[in-house]
């Protein structure tokens, strides 16, 4: 079974970037998280204890984006993925981070990094 919970387009203000001014001034970051788990028990019981609590996921993402500083989106995504994998019954997680204010010449909407982590050995 390949069930999925998605939290889409979460927005947080964080201080991440290669350049010092990015880590000082900060900016908005947009994130999506896909969590793969077996939702059959929750579908039958209709109890939050049998699923992944969305508010817990949101809180973990918010804490890492807003209270830590990373040079690379790859590092931020890895920390978020590893944190979510610690939740009970998560088999896989994919984190997408979009950074709209990218210090590069040329027109671009954003840079996006996607990180996937798994509990499968």
């Amino acid at each position: 079974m390949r069930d999925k919970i998605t939290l889409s387009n979460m927005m947080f203000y964080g201080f991440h970037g290669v350049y010092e001014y990015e880590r000082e001034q900060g900016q908005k970051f947009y994130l999506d998280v896909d969590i793969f788990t077996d939702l059959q028990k929750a579908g039958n019981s209709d109890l939050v204890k049998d699923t992944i609590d969305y508010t817990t996921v949101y809180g973990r993402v918010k804490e890492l984006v807003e209270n830590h500083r990373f040079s690379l989106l790859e590092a931020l995504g890895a920390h978020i993925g590893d944190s979510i994998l610690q939740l009970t019954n998560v088999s896989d997680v994919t984190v997408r981070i979009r950074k709209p204010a990218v210090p590069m010449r040329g027109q671009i909407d954003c840079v996006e990094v996607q990180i996937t982590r798994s509990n499968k050995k």
Side-chain angles (χ1 to χ4, degrees), residues 45-116:
S45 72
D46 197 27
L47 298 173
V48 72
K49 72 176 184 68
D50 293 329
T51 190
I52 307 297
D53 186 341
Y54 318 146
T55 59
T56 299
V57 173
Y58 184 91
R60 287 179 181 221
V61 175
K62 178 180 174 64
E63 198 279 324
L64 283 163
V65 176
E66 293 184 348
N67 297 321
H68 297 269
R69 293 180 189 216
F70 296 95
S71 294
L72 300 178
L73 297 179
E74 294 85 342
L76 174 59
H79 280 82
I80 292 169
D82 291 343
S83 175
I84 293 170
L85 276 183
Q86 295 173 5
L87 298 172
T88 304
N89 298 324
V90 174
S91 64
D92 301 276
V93 61
T94 297
V95 178
R96 284 176 302 283
I97 305 170
R98 289 176 298 286
K99 179 179 179 178
V102 183
M104 65 173 56
R105 292 182 176 177
Q107 193 143 358
I108 187 169
D109 284 341
C110 68
V111 168
E112 179 175 282
V113 169
Q114 179 172 307
I115 302 289
T116 300

